Amino acid sequence: MEQSSDEIMHQDIIPLYAADIQDQLKKQFAYLSGGRGGDGCPVITFPDYPAFSEIPEKEFQNVLTYLTSIPSLRDAGIGFILVIDRRQDKWTSVKASILRIAASFPGNLQLVLVLRPTGFFHRALSDIAFRFNRDELKMKVPIIMLGSVSELQGYIDKTQLTEDLGGTLDYCHNRWLSRRTAIEGFAQKVKQTAQILQSFGTELAETELPNDVQSTSSLLATHTEKKDKMKEDIRVAVEQGDDILGSITKPVTENPEYKLNQDQLDNQTTVERLLAQLHETETAFDEFWIKHQQKLEQCLRLRNFEQDFREVKAALDIVSERLSAFTDVGNSRSHVEHILKDLANFEEKSHETVAKARMLASERDAFIQSNHYAVDSIIPKCSELHHLCDAFTTETERRRNLLNKSLELHDLLEKSMKWCDEGIYLLASQPVDKCQSQDGAESALQEIEKFLDTGAGNKIKELNKIYREYAHILNEDLKDHVQKVFQKQESMEEMFQKRQVSLKKLAAKQTRPVQPVAPRPEAFVKSPCTSPGLQRENVSNSESSALRRVNYRKAKSDVTELHQSRGGSTMDDEENLAVLRQHVMNELIETERAYVEELLCVLEGYAAEMDNPLMAHLISPELQNKKDILFGNMEEIYHFHNRIFLRELETYIEYPELVGRCFLDQMEDFQIYEKYCQNKPRSESLWRQFSDSVFFQECQRKLDHKLSLDSYLLKPVQRITKYQLLLKEMLKYSKNCEGAEDLQEALTSILGILKAVNDSMHQIAITGYDGNLNELGKLLMQGSFNVWTDHKKGHTKVKDLARFKPMQRHLFLHEKAVLFCKKREENGEGYEKAPSYSYKHSLNMAAVGITENVKGDAKKFEIWYNAREEVYIIQAPTPEVKATWVNEIRKVLTSQLQACREASQHRTLEQTQSLPLPLPASSCASPSRNHIRNTKKMEEKKADLPSVEGCGTTAAPKYPEKGKGWAKPSQSLDASEENDGWSSAEEPLNSSDAEEEGGGGGEMKLTPGKYTVVTDYDKGVSEEFTVKSGDLVQLIREGEDGLWFVKNLSSGREGWIPANNLLMLIGNSKSAQSLSSSESGTASSNLSTSSSCSDSCNVSSTSFSDIKG
């Protein structure tokens, strides 16, 4: 296949390398031995090669082209000497070889030497043929036919001929080929390295500098990595060149007398030249890299500076903004001290930021000294940082000076207030009886004068001077406070002046001795603790002082000159109580301020630090995003107390007896503590897992707290319980004051919140309840009881076991249901040891009745369900607990009864007959039917009459589906559960209270008629309807729900009274229409009247307790 001209031209311009034609050179049909002619012409030898004619033309041309390209241009320009060895060949081959060489030789020829065949025939033939073919073999250079090697040595020196031509030139073709391949490979390596370095340098020069630290750092790392790789390639290339040069000069090294031939010398020169070129390229690249690296490093330094500048400036802006928030000069000494402490802590925390900013600004000189290319943009930024730091330091010092001045003022005010309090206490503590005598009066005068002498260093002397000296810190509140303190001081001094006048009179007179009478507490007059209003801003201290002075004068006018009346003593006692109330109020406000400060400290020192990126490395992954669990709603509590409650408390500082109103106004907000307490077990559990965390230790160290975080997490729980103690103390000293009722109501409300918190802590521990506990209404009560069951239905064995062995159950009374749970103690410590409650069953309050007393045990009562088909005998820990539960259940049932009455009132008013009309089949069962059923139940049990206190309906409501809020009661109790707990030999009885009181016969049945009342009654359904013993009443008609419409014939009033109450009211009083004993025997044996509600009650059937009282 012919090659295109483009390919041939392309091949012509591509230089040949030994590695490319290595196989062709190995044939050795021609070689360059390194020998030279007389004038330095390179010698190319064509050794005897039998297959010379079979060599492809392309290979032949490649070898000749390559061999002629090896000598230097100068030597090649002189011309080549060809030595053609054909001593073992034929003439025909000689002729063909000469013709082929002449046609293909690409270089200049100086001389062609041919060693003709050595055989006699071929020698003679060659001589003849050469003569006849001279013209045909005519070349540009002479061709000399030689007959022997000795003749050849006449043209070329023996030292320039190889051994096969009788010379001494050391030549090994394989060694020559290997060396040529190495030299050419090294040359290519040097060329490629130079090109790569040049390309890399161009890339570096054209690279744009990044605008951020990360990109600049990445670029510097990338370029450094490439540079290191380049340097490694150069090192390898230099080692390669040194190895080649060493192999060339090795013979000389081993034998100093050894002479390198010209080709070897040329090779040495070539390798040395390449090595020098490589070193020059490396040196130039190193110089360029140093400049480029310096520029990149300067760029990286600049980007780091810019990033640090942005961060530091942002941090300075933040601390400056926080510093600007320190505008409050404090409203008390402790408040100012707290602000000063906060300022000191803030300054300490900000010190690192300011120091970093100053250090960054000080780098300006370093940038200038290093001749940074961007020094013009760096200097303004450094100057700005210096300015910001100086401004922050100056402002911090100014704020501190203001606070110190405020502290100085509050010290002065507190000294004055303390002096006033001590003066009031002194006046209150002077005994009245001792002041009756002249000596006692003089002694009291001396005490007063001695005390007044101490006022020089404690009291405020000039109000205007205070205003002038502290004008730069006096805001409206503080100015008002100064004025009130000054007014208090004036009032106290006025009281001292009046006391001095009185004592001086006593000391100057000799009066008839009077037996002093100690006033009885109940004879105290009511304290004039009134005030014009509640808010401090609406009540000036001058008005309050004026009121007190008027009351003081009024009380004083009732006192004789010798203070014989009780008024003076009462006034002094009231002063003592006022001092005590003020002490309690001071404690309340001071502890409230401390509490707010502690909450803020925890929120800033712990909670906020959990979001601080600088502290993130100290927080374990399991603790991250758990701030809400650990701190609960503490932030909400802090904001309530700091923004609302504390400020409201401070408005009552002059009127401590009225502080109950403050609690009542904010009582709704105290519900937030319930949420905090409910979260406390989770918070405690999380703290126990990570209490040893380095993060918490670091925060505690920064805050300089002696106690760990868990102690501060307990503060809200401790605080909500502290209020009731302070309110009790305040109430103790304010019983005769205007705000006593508010204090009592506030105390009751706080105790209610504590109870609700405690109950909710138990409620959240209920497990296994399928429904929503919130749908059961408000949790009213909870507690642990012994429970027996006495169900009409159920397995006999289970029933028998239940009658003798109680179950330990924890009951939860809601507005709509009562839950029975089993208490299970958990292992652990602290909140982790809190019990859990396994839900067992529940009773719908719409179908519940109670029997208040159970024979034989004052601590037992019954809760029965569904017309006594299920009876639960409950034994409380104490009679008091039982009474509380019974009363609460009665309230629930009474409220349900009242709702049912209101819905059916229109029906009860229509019934005018003495006995109820028959009800439709769809309505609830009538009392007579209920009586028959109850009688059968009693006969089956062979029990006495049931309790008078219980009452119930005949129809039971359907149980809701499983998982919808109600579980079937009796079936959920298995024998194994009923066998737990302790056994009791006492068998609960179902005998009625009437029987316990001695009633054993049949009960009287109520019928319309006139009766005489034997006992007072003022608890009718209508609040205005009352009867007294001896009144004549007429029973007009019986209504629904076991009520009778009764008219008091003595007063003319009418109203509704429950039937069982009537039985006690009329006792054995007879009526012309009363039933006989036989008729009464048919009456219901259960005197708890069954009540039936109409369909309008929206309940299928409801059982209610006896509502007596």
Side-chain angles (χ1 to χ4, degrees):
M1 178 180 283
E2 296 181 356
Q3 293 180 332
S4 65
S5 58
D6 291 340
E7 291 178 345
I8 295 174
M9 290 178 64
H10 182 67
Q11 292 175 358
D12 290 340
I13 63 175
I14 297 177
L16 290 174
Y17 297 100
D20 299 335
I21 58 173
Q22 187 172 7
D23 294 338
Q24 302 170 22
L25 291 174
K26 283 183 179 180
K27 293 180 180 180
Q28 201 177 348
F29 60 84
Y31 62 86
L32 188 67
S33 64
R36 291 292 187 269
D39 50 1
C41 298
V43 176
I44 296 178
T45 304
F46 290 87
D48 187 21
Y49 191 78
F52 186 81
S53 59
E54 298 177 2
I55 298 173
E57 186 62 24
K58 181 64 177 176
E59 292 184 9
F60 188 74
Q61 289 180 356
N62 287 342
V63 172
L64 292 184
T65 301
Y66 176 73
L67 293 178
T68 54
S69 66
I70 293 176
S72 64
L73 294 177
R74 183 181 63 82
D75 294 341
I78 297 173
F80 290 89
I81 296 177
L82 304 183
V83 177
I84 302 174
D85 184 6
R86 291 294 181 265
R87 286 175 293 178
Q88 305 299 326
D89 208 346
K90 299 179 181 179
W91 164 249
T92 55
S93 299
V94 172
K95 178 182 176 181
S97 298
I98 294 173
L99 291 175
R100 187 173 186 182
I101 293 171
S104 303
F105 194 80
N108 296 329
L109 289 176
Q110 181 71 23
L111 182 64
V112 178
L113 300 175
V114 180
L115 287 174
R116 59 189 177 186
T118 56
F120 176 78
F121 175 75
H122 290 287
R123 176 183 295 180
L125 182 60
S126 62
D127 289 340
I128 298 171
F130 182 73
R131 292 190 186 98
F132 284 103
N133 296 301
R134 181 182 298 273
D135 294 336
E136 185 178 354
L137 298 175
K138 186 176 181 181
M139 301 176 67
K140 296 179 181 181
V141 293
I143 299 175
I144 301 175
M145 303 294 291
L146 301 176
S148 64
V149 174
S150 58
E151 293 179 7
L152 177 62
Q153 293 176 356
Y155 291 92
I156 300 174
D157 189 80
K158 183 178 181 181
T159 58
Q160 299 299 318
L161 294 174
T162 58
E163 293 180 356
D164 59 335
L165 295 178
T168 60
L169 182 64
D170 181 21
Y171 176 77
C172 175
H173 189 68
N174 290 333
R175 182 179 63 194
W176 175 87
L177 183 60
S178 174
R179 186 168 295 167
R180 287 303 307 173
T181 302
I183 293 173
E184 291 174 358
F186 176 60
Q188 288 181 334
K189 180 71 173 177
V190 172
K191 182 179 179 181
Q192 290 175 358
T193 301
Q195 290 175 347
I196 292 174
L197 289 177
Q198 183 177 2
S199 176
F200 182 50
T202 303
E203 177 187 346
L204 297 184
E206 294 177 352
T207 300
E208 294 185 2
L209 297 179
N211 293 323
D212 60 280
V213 174
Q214 184 176 356
S215 300
T216 306
S217 179
S218 176
L219 181 64
L220 179 60
T222 302
H223 285 185
T224 303
E225 184 180 356
K226 288 184 178 180
K227 185 267 298 183
D228 293 339
K229 187 176 183 303
M230 296 289 182
K231 294 287 289 184
E232 179 63 20
D233 291 344
I234 292 174
R235 186 189 64 78
V236 172
V238 170
E239 287 183 357
Q240 181 180 349
D242 290 339
D243 291 342
I244 295 173
L245 186 62
S247 66
I248 293 174
T249 58
K250 184 179 180 181
V252 179
T253 305
E254 294 176 352
N255 184 11
E257 297 180 357
Y258 184 86
K259 300 293 183 180
L260 297 176
N261 60 44
Q262 190 60 42
D263 279 355
Q264 290 174 329
L265 292 174
D266 289 345
N267 289 342
Q268 180 180 357
T269 302
T270 300
V271 174
E272 289 175 347
R273 176 176 55 80
L274 291 173
L275 285 173
Q277 181 181 348
L278 191 61
H279 285 302
E280 289 176 0
T281 303
E282 182 181 14
T283 301
F285 175 75
D286 288 343
E287 292 176 355
F288 174 78
W289 170 254
I290 290 173
K291 295 179 181 178
H292 180 73
Q293 184 183 28
Q294 182 181 8
K295 189 173 184 180
L296 279 180
E297 288 176 347
Q298 286 186 346
C299 178
L300 179 60
R301 188 178 178 188
L302 175 63
R303 300 299 178 246
N304 278 317
F305 174 81
E306 291 173 343
Q307 178 175 311
D308 292 343
F309 174 79
R310 288 191 295 269
E311 292 176 356
V312 168
K313 188 175 183 303
L316 284 176
D317 291 341
I318 291 174
V319 297
S320 299
E321 183 179 354
R322 291 181 178 176
L323 179 61
S324 64
F326 281 87
T327 57
D328 196 353
V329 293
N331 53 22
S332 67
R333 175 183 175 82
S334 61
H335 191 195
V336 177
E337 289 177 343
H338 174 70
I339 297 175
L340 276 170
K341 183 179 179 181
D342 287 346
L343 182 62
N345 291 336
F346 168 74
E347 189 175 10
E348 182 181 355
K349 292 178 181 178
S350 305
H351 176 74
E352 183 178 351
T353 299
V354 176
K356 186 176 180 181
R358 292 193 182 277
M359 183 179 296
L360 187 63
S362 65
E363 293 183 8
R364 177 181 61 178
D365 296 336
F367 280 107
I368 295 175
Q369 292 175 2
S370 63
N371 295 321
H372 197 282
Y373 68 87
V375 68
D376 292 338
S377 65
I378 294 173
I379 292 177
K381 290 183 173 63
C382 294
S383 301
E384 183 180 359
L385 289 178
H386 276 300
H387 174 72
L388 291 174
C389 291
D390 293 341
F392 175 79
T393 304
T394 302
E395 181 64 17
T396 304
E397 190 63 28
R398 189 183 74 83
R399 301 279 182 183
R400 184 185 296 105
N401 292 337
L402 287 177
L403 290 171
N404 285 331
K405 202 68 177 175
S406 177
L407 186 64
E408 180 182 319
L409 176 59
H410 282 292
D411 280 340
L412 182 59
L413 295 176
E414 287 194 4
K415 282 183 180 179
S416 177
M417 293 178 67
K418 184 178 179 182
W419 185 66
C420 292
D421 291 340
E422 290 174 353
I424 294 172
Y425 182 76
L426 174 61
L427 293 177
S429 61
Q430 286 184 340
V432 178
D433 52 351
K434 291 184 180 180
C435 293
Q436 309 301 319
S437 64
Q438 184 177 8
D439 292 340
E442 289 177 352
S443 175
L445 270 173
Q446 290 177 2
E447 288 181 353
I448 290 175
E449 290 172 356
K450 184 178 179 181
F451 172 78
L452 290 175
D453 291 339
T454 64
N458 293 319
K459 69 178 184 178
I460 300 174
K461 297 177 182 178
E462 296 182 24
L463 190 60
N464 290 332
K465 183 180 179 180
I466 296 293
Y467 287 162
R468 289 194 303 271
E469 186 176 353
Y470 300 98
H472 51 293
I473 63 169
L474 282 176
N475 52 35
E476 290 299 325
D477 291 339
L478 191 53
K479 192 172 183 180
D480 186 51
H481 183 44
V482 172
Q483 186 177 1
K484 289 182 178 181
V485 172
F486 187 72
Q487 290 173 352
K488 181 177 181 180
Q489 178 182 296
E490 286 183 328
S491 300
M492 190 273 297
E493 290 176 335
E494 183 180 353
M495 293 170 62
F496 267 84
Q497 291 173 4
K498 292 180 179 180
R499 180 65 66 88
Q500 282 178 311
V501 171
S502 300
L503 291 175
K504 285 178 180 178
K505 290 180 181 179
L506 289 173
K509 290 184 178 181
Q510 286 295 335
T511 60
R512 179 173 56 85
V514 177
Q515 179 67 32
V517 179
R520 292 167 58 189
E522 61 271 16
F524 289 173
V525 297
K526 197 162 186 179
S527 170
C529 294
T530 60
S531 69
L534 293 179
Q535 304 300 324
R536 184 171 65 181
E537 56 270 22
N538 296 333
V539 183
S540 67
N541 194 62
S542 59
E543 294 174 354
S544 176
S545 300
L547 262 178
R548 286 195 292 268
R549 288 197 293 272
V550 170
N551 293 329
Y552 183 86
R553 293 192 189 101
K554 183 178 179 181
K556 196 75 171 178
S557 64
D558 296 334
V559 184
T560 65
E561 190 175 12
L562 300 177
H563 295 264
Q564 294 177 359
S565 69
R566 294 178 181 175
S569 177
T570 302
M571 182 194 68
D572 291 339
D573 288 335
E574 177 52 37
E575 288 178 355
N576 291 338
L577 291 175
V579 171
L580 294 172
R581 285 196 298 270
Q582 194 62 50
H583 284 323
V584 176
M585 190 66 186
N586 291 340
E587 181 183 359
L588 175 59
I589 292 179
E590 291 302 321
T591 55
E592 184 71 14
R593 288 171 180 163
Y595 175 54
V596 170
E597 292 170 4
E598 288 170 342
L599 292 181
L600 179 61
C601 192
V602 171
L603 291 173
E604 288 185 346
Y606 286 97
E609 291 297 305
M610 291 187 74
D611 298 327
N612 186 356
L614 300 178
M615 299 284 285
H617 65 285
L618 300 178
I619 304 177
S620 59
E622 296 82 3
L623 186 59
Q624 292 178 352
N625 302 321
K626 297 291 181 62
K627 183 172 72 172
D628 291 340
I629 297 177
L630 186 60
F631 297 96
N633 62 331
M634 180 182 283
E635 185 174 356
E636 183 183 8
I637 293 175
Y638 165 73
H639 288 312
F640 162 63
H641 284 272
N642 183 52
R643 298 174 180 174
I644 301 174
F645 190 62
L646 177 58
R647 297 182 182 180
E648 289 296 318
L649 275 180
E650 289 171 342
T651 64
Y652 288 86
I653 192 168
E654 299 293 336
Y655 319 106
E657 66 277 0
L658 303 180
V659 77
R661 300 182 191 177
C662 178
F663 279 90
L664 292 176
D665 291 342
Q666 310 302 329
M667 196 57 64
E668 228 177 273
D669 292 319
F670 280 103
Q671 303 295 332
I672 59 178
Y673 278 90
E674 186 171 340
K675 180 179 178 182
Y676 185 86
C677 293
Q678 287 178 352
N679 179 70
K680 198 67 177 72
R682 299 174 64 204
S683 172
E684 181 75 11
S685 177
L686 184 64
W687 165 256
R688 298 182 76 84
Q689 294 180 47
F690 300 100
S691 58
D692 296 332
S693 171
V694 180
F695 169 77
F696 293 127
Q697 295 175 1
E698 178 64 16
C699 290
Q700 184 176 349
R701 184 192 65 78
K702 288 183 177 180
L703 294 171
D704 195 22
H705 281 179
K706 295 181 180 179
L707 299 177
S708 55
L709 173 60
D710 59 325
S711 299
Y712 291 91
L713 293 176
L714 197 60
K715 292 290 182 180
V717 181
Q718 294 171 337
R719 187 59 184 172
I720 192 64
T721 57
K722 177 72 172 177
Y723 288 130
Q724 57 103 4
L725 299 176
L726 292 171
L727 286 172
K728 285 180 181 178
E729 195 74 11
M730 183 67 77
L731 183 61
K732 178 180 176 183
Y733 304 131
S734 308
K735 290 184 178 179
N736 296 323
C737 293
E738 176 188 350
E741 293 182 1
D742 289 337
L743 284 170
Q744 182 60 56
E745 187 178 350
L747 175 59
T748 303
S749 299
I750 284 291
L751 292 174
I753 287 177
L754 292 176
K755 178 182 178 301
V757 168
N758 183 59
D759 290 346
S760 66
M761 295 291 287
H762 289 274
Q763 183 181 12
I764 62 175
I766 296 177
T767 60
Y769 183 72
D770 293 335
N772 185 355
L773 290 174
N774 294 328
E775 295 177 357
L776 303 183
K778 182 180 178 182
L779 177 61
L780 304 175
M781 303 282 287
Q782 56 83 26
S784 294
F785 299 89
N786 292 327
V787 179
W788 290 266
T789 59
D790 188 10
H791 301 343
K792 181 176 178 61
K793 297 180 180 180
H795 198 280
T796 304
K797 184 177 181 181
V798 174
K799 174 183 174 183
D800 292 340
L801 288 172
R803 290 172 62 86
F804 288 96
K805 294 188 178 181
M807 297 176 290
Q808 300 293 323
R809 289 292 180 262
H810 201 89
L811 272 59
F812 293 86
L813 176 62
H814 292 259
E815 291 176 327
K816 297 181 181 179
V818 57
L819 272 61
F820 289 75
C821 300
K822 184 172 184 179
K823 185 176 181 181
R824 301 186 185 278
E825 294 289 346
E826 301 293 341
N827 295 325
E829 297 180 3
Y831 281 100
E832 293 181 358
K833 197 176 181 180
S836 63
Y837 302 98
S838 298
Y839 169 77
K840 295 303 178 184
H841 65 285
S842 58
L843 303 178
N844 188 340
M845 292 301 294
V848 162
I850 62 168
T851 302
E852 296 185 12
N853 297 307
V854 176
K855 182 178 179 181
D857 194 338
K859 297 184 290 185
K860 289 182 180 178
F861 63 98
E862 288 183 351
I863 297 179
W864 44 269
Y865 190 71
N866 198 18
R868 301 190 67 85
E869 288 187 0
E870 299 177 17
V871 179
Y872 300 89
I873 302 171
I874 313 297
Q875 184 184 48
T878 63
E880 291 76 15
V881 173
K882 168 198 164 181
T884 304
W885 272 75
V886 168
N887 288 335
E888 198 66 37
I889 295 174
R890 284 163 60 87
K891 290 179 183 178
V892 175
L893 298 181
T894 303
S895 64
Q896 292 180 353
L897 174 60
Q898 186 65 30
C900 185
R901 278 198 196 126
E902 292 173 358
S904 61
Q905 187 174 7
H906 65 284
R907 294 188 59 188
T908 59
L909 294 176
E910 293 174 356
Q911 297 178 356
T912 58
Q913 299 180 0
S914 60
L915 294 176
L917 296 174
L919 296 176
S922 60
S923 65
C924 300
S926 66
S928 60
R929 291 167 59 188
N930 188 33
H931 154 67
I932 295 171
R933 184 164 56 191
N934 288 339
T935 302
K936 291 181 178 179
K937 292 179 186 178
M938 295 302 105
E939 289 175 354
E940 290 172 0
K941 294 184 178 181
K942 295 182 180 180
D944 296 327
L945 293 176
S947 170
V948 170
E949 304 295 335
C951 68
T953 60
T954 57
K958 295 181 180 179
Y959 289 100
E961 297 178 5
K962 183 70 174 176
K964 297 291 183 66
W966 309 113
K968 291 189 177 182
S970 59
Q971 286 79 355
S972 64
L973 301 172
D974 55 26
S976 62
E977 288 184 354
E978 299 200 23
N979 281 321
D980 62 0
W982 49 273
S983 63
S984 171
E986 178 187 5
E987 180 175 351
L989 301 176
N990 287 333
S991 57
S992 66
D993 293 340
E995 187 178 46
E996 290 175 16
E997 294 172 0
E1003 277 304 322
M1004 179 183 68
K1005 181 177 180 181
L1006 292 174
T1007 59
K1010 295 181 181 180
Y1011 298 86
T1012 301
V1013 176
V1014 296
T1015 183
D1016 293 346
Y1017 178 78
D1018 59 354
K1019 300 179 180 179
V1021 176
S1022 175
E1023 295 180 358
E1024 298 179 353
F1025 183 73
T1026 60
V1027 294
K1028 297 182 179 179
S1029 177
D1031 287 350
L1032 187 64
V1033 296
Q1034 182 176 3
L1035 278 61
I1036 299 175
R1037 65 181 181 275
E1038 181 181 6
E1040 293 189 358
D1041 304 328
L1043 300 176
W1044 275 85
F1045 191 72
V1046 179
K1047 180 176 182 179
N1048 187 341
L1049 299 178
S1050 301
S1051 64
R1053 297 182 181 274
E1054 298 178 345
W1056 293 90
I1057 296 182
N1060 52 351
N1061 294 100
L1062 278 173
L1063 291 174
M1064 291 188 296
L1065 288 175
I1066 62 179
N1068 296 322
S1069 177
K1070 299 296 183 178
S1071 170
Q1073 301 175 2
S1074 62
L1075 296 176
S1076 66
S1077 60
S1078 61
E1079 290 173 326
S1080 64
T1082 63
S1084 173
S1085 61
N1086 188 350
L1087 294 181
S1088 340
T1089 305
S1090 298
S1091 58
S1092 300
C1093 299
S1094 64
D1095 296 337
S1096 61
C1097 294
N1098 296 325
V1099 292
S1100 58
S1101 178
T1102 309
S1103 299
F1104 301 100
S1105 72
D1106 167 26
I1107 61 168
K1108 181 180 65 177

